[in-house]
Each structure stands twice: as structure tokens, then as C-alpha cells.
């Protein structure tokens, strides 16, 4: 199954309330997006799956939630104030600005990609990617501060506090989920590259002698998460080690997990070996010890850091792209999101086969209320059953439950599974347990072909 | 039980890894805080409890997650650019700045509270509370943008997109959890008033004729959440309707839920009747319709808005304050956090009675791993059993499980409950279910007094 083009995902996201352009009633805001009712649930599910895997199921990683605005010294010491910039080129005629990397030749030779003039492009200059603000009430001394461009530094400056209070010994990690901000020159490809985005990062601290084995471990572990937990097709994932000349200044080795996006293979997650670059820099600048006593080697060491890091927004985009399928069913187009049940925003939708029968409506609403105590459930009776199924298919709801006239007699309802479009009849008293078990991953077996919606 | 003083909570928070001063190795950053391993779990539990109550258990509220940086028109139209400021006074001698409200007299008459000079204070001037930044690569036209000072406006500008895509009819609400920023002149009282904070807000849209009944509903509903879900003592909560002269410009009536903080009764949550002020302003400025067709009244209406809104950080502070107790147990001080099990960062701690018996250590570690598949669990054997219990008491862990020599013979372990300090013997095979059930709220019955730790 090839990846769908981006426009189909943008359209679905807007139409069904996953992602809207931010402040759209005022014309939007380039590089900023708002998550709608389904998008926020999907995003929460992706974050919860990561947190469960990286923190809750492990005894060697703990969490952290540092502030977005930190003491500006952090960014001087990390090298961001001096070095976190992209080379850009201005057009002296039309005032447009471009990333030098995106130009197809030296600025002195090519035409401006916007106005077409020649000889109007400047030589490349460094454009800073950190957003600045000022903090504090004293105007004369209000200090310049930055919106963090990465969550990692919040972990490094809290290293000693966390290691002490959590009583952790090497190897151990600190995990964080939170917003970061970059004033990207060219945000784009929907939520692939935005100016405000959310990151999920672990800084995993190891003895320097174990650098390579832990680097290899994390590359494998993270790749496995994408296939086994997120359900991404393995054939659309690949590993790409960075060439020495593209490594960040702090990194000795980095491997990207790439996904086959519509615009080509691109980074989905990076696993970086940051060595002791950051801890050493902060220890020296702050005068605080950021080493730990390693019992295995009997010495104080400044740990090396292996960092698996990704953007949540890009992860969500990948999940949507990978789950999207258009099918032809009985001569009509069916759009279906094959989301893992654990990720689906809504787990089960209840609908009456006949919406003009008050006793069925009441029964369906009561059933939805019961189910809602266990998992995200919805009730809908505003269309024919066939249309209601398609509505749920398109947002990835794995199970629909239909109550019909027989239900009133036999106390059973029909569960319909999204991917196979097959059905099972189950006693209503057993429904909550059955749906919860299916959502937890129990196999769907013995489904019968969909009955034609004779009721409508 | 009177509220403990703030210093005890600040000290516990730092000592055990709930909350650290932000960027502490560089001297901190006034009004910014970082949440440590236990703090992030407690905060996540508070947010999840709110989201479950306000979104997942209801069919009339959906979620949203709007960007922190929005189109700046949003803040012009909402009135924040013109009006979101505090009056402040400068000292011409020492350059200190004060909130005019905090001075004990007119600036022309009193001494500077910092340097003591008379006649050096300026008349009050408006000091703007929104943080500014600049977005976009074109220097000449890079637009001024703001870090949102409230999450509410993100809901109002998305009203039409959400109402359409979620197919909601009046009354319905939109819920949001997210960071907001205010350049407070005097942040303080730990995480009570900080410059970067997280909000949980619902904007509940109703027919204007139902304004008062829904306002009363939400005041009652929210007060009940604090006692029944968060477990806050009712005697330390009170309702305080705002006087007409303290209402915000957008509000027709507001009632605060106040808590008896160490520094006095203060706002914990506010329920505001914002009328149609915001939707009407945004509809007029954007030219987009922000009215909906109300079937019950057969007319298009611009809804009125009832807003229950609170700060997550302040909620977490309240939970810690209300749970904190110092007891005398057998002549020694016991610090205990009486957190609801649903809120506790760690639900169960496993420990061996004898840490020099490898088979007990191995059994305990295996048991902790098994439990971790169900709920947050930890293993600890780095101190005597009495000290390990106190460590868990102090961070609110509701249950400890001890394995001892008898466990090797009878396959049973001891559960010890935090508040009563009583114990039960339970088969290890039944432990995960039993702990999960207790954490879900099953009553603790039949506990026996703690046995003296004969093993140590």
C-alpha cells in the first residue's frame, strides 16, 4: 500500500476534527496548528503509549517536565545562542527570504525563486531559530529569555536533582514530553515541520565504556516500537546512519529512523549519541558536579548520553498516513483509518438500526453510557446505518455496536469490526467486557459478513 | 487538620523530586519551576482525572489542543493587548518595581518598600502581562506575537470548526489542557502563582436563556469534583461570588472555589459567566459566523459561555498541602501524604524483609516487574524495612508489599496500607488483581497491626 498524498490527510484532518490551521478565522498562522476533538485524543494516546513503554514499564527511566522558558544561561552553555541558526538568503528586490540549502545554486548566479530577478539575492547569512522574549518586571534589566528549541537541555540541567532524588545508578534515563519552538524559515508539509511542536525525548545516561552497546540497543528498541506498538508498516521504515559531515556538534553518531512520507524518506525519530558534551559543558559553566559514582567501575564518571528523540506531531502525521486507505466497497469509496484500537480516539460507536424507534434510541444511548465508563464511546443516530459505519471507518473507530428490534427480544447486539467489516452477535450484558478485551488486543475471530441494512 | 506551612511542602517537593526550581544550577528563574519524576506523575494523574470527568465520561464535552502562539489578532480582539495589564509603580532611586495593589498607601506619600526613600515612587503605570515574541523569517515584517495568557481564546476561535466537525448542539462544551504564560510582577508562594503555568478549562456553550441554571450547575459540579475525586477536605473549601466591581470586563458573574492555603483563603478554581462577549467580538472582527442553530428554540443564537477554569500547578499544590501530615509514631516523626490511590505517583512498592537473601531479592524484583505491567510499581531494598515504609509514606504510595522467608514456603506476601499502617497476608498469585482493585477504590478491610520488623 503506497503512502497517500498529503492533501488527503490534510483534508480528512480538517473535515473530521483532527487538526485545524491555527487561528483559522483570522487567516491562520504559518507553522502553527490546533488539534481538534479527535486529534487531541489521538495525540494523547500516542503520548501515553510512549510514556508507558519508556517510563512505566521500565525501572531504569523516570519522567521529568521542565519549564519551556529556562534561565538563558542554559542556551548560552548548550551552544544554541551562538550556533542554532540556518543560513538564509534575502532577495533585495522582493524582500523574500529563503533557506540557502533550498536554493538550486549559488545566490550570486541564480534568479530569485519568488520574483525571478537576477543579481538580487544576498550572500547567505545566519538566521537564528530560537524565539526570544523578555522576562521580568524591571524594564531596564528585564532579561532576554528563549522559548526552548529542544526539551533535552531541561533534562541535562536537572540531571543532578533527578539522579539524587530518584536514587538512580547508571545506566538510567530521564524521559520528557513537552512543547518546543523553532522559528523555522520554511515550515511546511502540514504538521511535519511546524514552529510550535511537541517532543518526546529520553536522555539515557551510561558509562562511557558502554556507549556503543547502548546506542545499538536504543536504535533497535525504538524501531521495534514503531512496528509493534504504533503498528507502522515495516516496509515503510528504514534506518539511516548520519554521515560524519552531517552530525550535530554534540554528536559522535546518530541514526535516523526514517519513514516513507509522501515527499520522500524523511526523519521520523533520531537516536543520537551525545557523548558527555552537554553534561560537561553545564558542569563547567555552573560549577556544579554533574558526575555520578559508578559502582560497577568504582569511579566517578560523567556519563555518556544516548538520546532517542522524536516529534509528537510528526508521529501523529505518520500514524495517520500509515493507517489511511481508500477502498471500493460495493461500488462506493470507503475511507478507512486502520488505527490500532489502542490509538483510536473513539473505541466503540453505538447506533440504533432504526432511529425512529424510541425504545431502540433509548437502549442505544444507555448502552453508550455504560460503555463510556470503561472506554471512549459515542452514540450516533443522525444517519442511515451504512453512512454511520463509514463515518466511524474514516476516523478509525475499531468497533461499532448496533441495536435492532431483535435486541429488544433477545438482549443481544451486533458488534461490527472496522477492518474486516464482519459482525458478531453478543449479549449486551457481556458487551463491555468483550469490547474492552478486543480493544486490549484480543483477536477478532468468527466474524460473519455484514448483513445488508434491511432496517433502513 | 490545619494546612501545613508552605516551607514544608517546598522542602518535601525538592527532597523527593516533585518540584525543583527551574534551571537551578544557574541560580533558578523567578516564577518558573520544573517537575521531577514524582511531580510529573502526580500532575499527569490530576490532569487525567479532570479529562476523564470533563470529557471522557460525558457526551456533551469534547477536547481541543490549540497552539500557544496564535495569530496576534486573537489578542487584539479579546481585549488582552489593550487591557491585560497590572498597575505598577517604580522607585526612581533603586529601580525596583511594585504592584500598585501591594503598596500600603498612595505612591506620593509612602516610602519605597525596598530602599526606604520617600518621594521616589512614580505614579502607577500599566505594566503588560503578556510575553511578546516575533514570528517569521522576514525581519522587516516579522510579526509581533504573544504567548497566550489564557487557553480560553484558543477555544473561542476554534468554536465553529469544532461545532461543525463534532456535530454538537447546545448545550455543549470544549475542554482544553495546556500551558499559559503571564509576566507576573510578583510571582510567588511556590507554584501558586508562576509565570509559566498549565491551565484546565472548559468553555460550556449554552442558550442565553439557560445562562443562570448552567452557571449554578457548574459551580456545584466543580466543587463536588474537588471533594469527591481529588479528595480535598470540604472544610478547607468555600465558594466566594465576586463582587460586581471585581468582575472581569467579559464576565457577568463569577464564583471562585477557594481553598484555605497557608497564606489565607485564595482562588483554586473560578467559574465565570463570560456571556457572549468573546464569540461576538471574534465574529465581528473576523467576519465569520460564530452562531449556531438551536433546535429547541428554532433560532440562530450566539451562545453564552460558562467557564470552569483552573491552574494545574495550583491544583497540584493544593493536593500536596491537603494530603500532608506529620505524625508521631512510636516516638518518631512520620511524614505521610494521604493521596488518593488514583493520584499517587507510585501505587505499590515491593521490598524484601531481608535484603541479604538473594532469593528474596530476586522474588521481590520479579514481583515488582509483574505488578508494573498493571500499574506504576517500584522495588527498593536500599534500607531497613521501617525506613523503606517511611520513604513510601512520604511520597504517598498507598500500598507496600513485603516478601519474607515465609513467602518462599507459602507463596504469600504482606500488603501494608499507608494510612492505617495495617497489614494483610495475600497469595502472590492474587496480588496484582488485589492491588489493582484497591487502587481502583476497593475498601481496605481486615488489616492487622504492623508486625515489628523482626527480620532486620
Amino acid at each position: 500500500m503506497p503512502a497517500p498524498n498529503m492533501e488527503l490527510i490534510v483534508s480528512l484532518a480538517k473535515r473530521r476534527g483532527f487538526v485545524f490551521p491555527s487561528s483559522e478565522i483570522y487567516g491562520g498562522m504559518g507553522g502553527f496548528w490546533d488539534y481538534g476533538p479527535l486529534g487531541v485524543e489521538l495525540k494523547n494516546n500516542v503520548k501515553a503509549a510512549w510514556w508507558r513503554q519508556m517510563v512505566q514499564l521500565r525501572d531504569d527511566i523516570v519522567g521529568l517536565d521542565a519549564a519551556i522558558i529556562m534561565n538563558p544561561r542554559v542556551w548560552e552553555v548548550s551552544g544554541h545562542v551562538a550556533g542554532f541558526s540556518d543560513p538564509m538568503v534575502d532577495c533585495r528586490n522582493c524582500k523574500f527570504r529563503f533557506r540557502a540549502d533550498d536554493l538550486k545554486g549559488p545566490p550570486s548566479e541564480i534568479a530569485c525563486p519568488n520574483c525571478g530577478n537576477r543579481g538580487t539575492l544576498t550572500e547567505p547569512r545566519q538566521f537564528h531559530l530560537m524565539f526570544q522574549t523578555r522576562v521580568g518586571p524591571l524594564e531596564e534589566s528585564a532579561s532576554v529569555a528563549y522559548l526552548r528549541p529542544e526539551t533535552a537541555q531541561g533534562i541535562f540541567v536537572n540531571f543532578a536533582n533527578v539522579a539524587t532524588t530518584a536514587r538512580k545508578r547508571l545506566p538510567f534515563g530521564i524521559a520528557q514530553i513537552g512543547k518546543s519552538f523553532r522559528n523555522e524559515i520554511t515550515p511546511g508539509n502540514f504538521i511535519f515541520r511546524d514552529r510550535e511542536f511537541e517532543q518526546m525525548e529520553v536522555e539515557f545516561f551510561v558509562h562511557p565504556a558502554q556507549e556503543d552497546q547502548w546506542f545499538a540497543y536504543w536504535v533497535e528498541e525504538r524501531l521495534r516500537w514503531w512496528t509493534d506498538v504504533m503498528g507502522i508498516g515495516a516496509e515503510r521504515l528504514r534506518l539511516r546512519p548520519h554521515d560524519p559531515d552531517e552530525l550535530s556538534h554534540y554528536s559522535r553518531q546518530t541514526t535516523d529512523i526514517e519513514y516513507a512520507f509522501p515527499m520522500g524518506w524523511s526523519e521520523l525519530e533520531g537516536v543520537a549519541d551525545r557523548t558527555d558534551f552537554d553534561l560537561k559543558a553545564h558542569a563547567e559553566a555552573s560549577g556544579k558536579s554533574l558526575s555520578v559514582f559508578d559502582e560497577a567501575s568504582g569511579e566517578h564518571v560523567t556519563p555518556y548520553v544516548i538520546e532517542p528523540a522524536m516529534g509528537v506531531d510528526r508521529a501523529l502525521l505518520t500514524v495517520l498516513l500509515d493507517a489511511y486507505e481508500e477502498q471500493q466497497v460495493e461500488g462506493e469509496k470507503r475511507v478507512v483509518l486502520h488505527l490500532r484500537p489502542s490509538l483510536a480516539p473513539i473505541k466503540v460507536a453505538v447506533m440504533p438500526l432504526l432511529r425512529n424507534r424510541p425504545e431502540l434510541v433509548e437502549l442505544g444511548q444507555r448502552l453508550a453510557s455504560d460503555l463510556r465508563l470503561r472506554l471512549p464511546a459515542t452514540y450516533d443516530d443522525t444517519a442511515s446505518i451504512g453512512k454511520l459505519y463509514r463515518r466511524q471507518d474514516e476516523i478509525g473507530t475499531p468497533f461499532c455496536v448496533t441495536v435492532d428490534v431483535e435486541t429488544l427480544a433477545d438482549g443481544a447486539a451486533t458488534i461490527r469490526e472496522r477492518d474486516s467489516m464482519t459482525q458478531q452477535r453478543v449479549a449486551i450484558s457481556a458487551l463491555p467486557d468483550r469490547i474492552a478485551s478486543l480493544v486490549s488486543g484480543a483477536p477478532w475471530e468468527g466474524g460473519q459478513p455484514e448483513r445488508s441494512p434491511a432496517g433502513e
Side-chain angles (χ1 to χ4, degrees), chain A residues 205-225:
Chain A
F205 302 96
V206 305
H207 190 283
Q210 300 188 321
E211 173 191 15
D212 287 322
Q213 78 190 65
W214 278 108
F215 181 78
Y217 166 87
W218 278 112
V219 170
E220 189 186 328
E221 176 74 8
R222 295 306 307 151
L223 182 62
R224 204 167 53 74
W225 185 79

Side-chain angles (χ1 to χ4, degrees), chain A residues 173-218:
Chain A
I174 303 176
Q176 185 168 218
I177 301 178
K179 286 274 178 87
S180 292
F181 298 79
R182 295 179 187 177
N183 197 4
E184 297 281 357
I185 301 173
T186 49
N189 284 316
F190 191 32
I191 51 174
F192 179 84
R193 176 173 284 117
D194 24 25
R195 288 177 169 144
E196 174 177 338
F197 59 107
E198 206 162 359
Q199 291 187 297
M200 304 199 283
E201 296 191 320
V202 163
E203 307 301 327
F204 198 79
F205 302 96
V206 305
H207 190 283
Q210 300 188 321
E211 173 191 15
D212 287 322
Q213 78 190 65
W214 278 108
F215 181 78
Y217 166 87
W218 278 112

Side-chain angles (χ1 to χ4, degrees), chain A residues 31-210:
Chain A
F32 297 87
W33 299 87
D34 294 344
Y35 288 82
L38 296 178
V40 64
E41 300 293 347
L42 179 58
K43 188 147 68 108
N44 285 345
N45 292 342
V46 169
K47 290 193 280 186
W50 186 88
W51 194 259
R52 177 172 159 80
Q53 182 82 16
M54 301 296 262
V55 179
Q56 294 180 327
L57 289 180
R58 302 180 68 109
D59 63 355
D60 59 355
I61 300 185
V62 295
L64 182 77
D65 183 18
I68 289 171
I69 295 179
M70 297 196 283
N71 188 304
R73 277 294 282 159
V74 173
W75 305 109
E76 292 164 14
V77 174
S78 70
H80 284 82
V81 168
F84 194 59
S85 52
D86 276 349
M88 54 82 200
V89 164
D90 288 306
C91 174
R92 281 182 288 256
N93 178 54
C94 70
K95 310 296 183 197
F96 260 62
R97 182 165 280 186
F98 310 92
R99 279 173 71 140
D101 311 345
D102 292 342
L103 295 178
K104 297 186 178 20
S108 54
E109 296 174 15
I110 63 166
C112 168
N114 182 54
C115 69
N117 277 294
R118 281 185 186 274
T120 59
L121 295 181
T122 64
E123 285 305 299
R125 290 182 302 187
Q126 292 303 314
F127 175 72
H128 213 281
L129 298 178
M130 282 203 292
F131 287 106
Q132 271 192 24
T133 189
R134 285 179 166 269
V135 172
L138 285 144
E139 229 155 67
E140 311 84 74
S141 68
S143 46
V144 169
Y146 305 94
L147 306 193
R148 67 177 172 204
E150 63 170 25
T151 52
Q153 298 300 327
I155 294 179
F156 298 131
V157 298
N158 277 290
F159 173 76
N161 268 341
V162 172
T164 305
T165 58
R167 305 167 164 273
K168 289 296 177 193
R169 296 167 190 165
L170 298 184
F172 79 95
I174 303 176
Q176 185 168 218
I177 301 178
K179 286 274 178 87
S180 292
F181 298 79
R182 295 179 187 177
N183 197 4
E184 297 281 357
I185 301 173
T186 49
N189 284 316
F190 191 32
I191 51 174
F192 179 84
R193 176 173 284 117
D194 24 25
R195 288 177 169 144
E196 174 177 338
F197 59 107
E198 206 162 359
Q199 291 187 297
M200 304 199 283
E201 296 191 320
V202 163
E203 307 301 327
F204 198 79
F205 302 96
V206 305
H207 190 283
Q210 300 188 321

Side-chain angles (χ1 to χ4, degrees), chain A residues 199-275:
Chain A
Q199 291 187 297
M200 304 199 283
E201 296 191 320
V202 163
E203 307 301 327
F204 198 79
F205 302 96
V206 305
H207 190 283
Q210 300 188 321
E211 173 191 15
D212 287 322
Q213 78 190 65
W214 278 108
F215 181 78
Y217 166 87
W218 278 112
V219 170
E220 189 186 328
E221 176 74 8
R222 295 306 307 151
L223 182 62
R224 204 167 53 74
W225 185 79
W226 284 105
T227 55
D228 293 6
V229 181
M230 290 291 102
I232 303 299
E235 70 281 12
R236 286 181 295 280
L237 293 169
R238 73 177 188 191
L239 298 176
R240 193 182 68 79
H242 281 209
D243 291 332
D245 65 352
E246 60 174 326
L247 288 172
S248 305
H249 61 283
Y250 52 72
S251 177
R252 205 179 71 77
Q253 51 187 333
T254 293
T255 290
D256 284 348
I257 299 173
E258 293 193 332
Y259 180 74
F261 286 97
M263 63 283 188
W265 288 99
S266 304
E267 179 189 348
L268 176 53
E269 173 164 4
V271 179
D273 173 355
R274 297 181 74 134
T275 71

Side-chain angles (χ1 to χ4, degrees), chain A residues 257-306:
Chain A
I257 299 173
E258 293 193 332
Y259 180 74
F261 286 97
M263 63 283 188
W265 288 99
S266 304
E267 179 189 348
L268 176 53
E269 173 164 4
V271 179
D273 173 355
R274 297 181 74 134
T275 71
D276 55 6
F277 178 88
D278 301 277
L279 287 182
K280 280 219 165 129
H282 287 302
E284 192 183 324
S286 69
K288 314 283 187 206
S289 165
L290 298 180
S291 67
V292 289
F293 183 73
D294 179 53
E295 295 200 358
S297 65
E299 58 181 347
H300 277 87
V301 297
T302 301
Y304 270 37
V305 178
I306 311 299

Side-chain angles (χ1 to χ4, degrees), chain A residues 351 385-393 400 402 423:
Chain A
M351 42 198 64
I385 197 80
K387 194 158 178 196
L388 293 177
Y389 281 163
R390 294 296 174 268
R391 245 183 224 168
Q392 298 299 328
D393 291 341
C400 289
T402 307
Q423 304 182 329

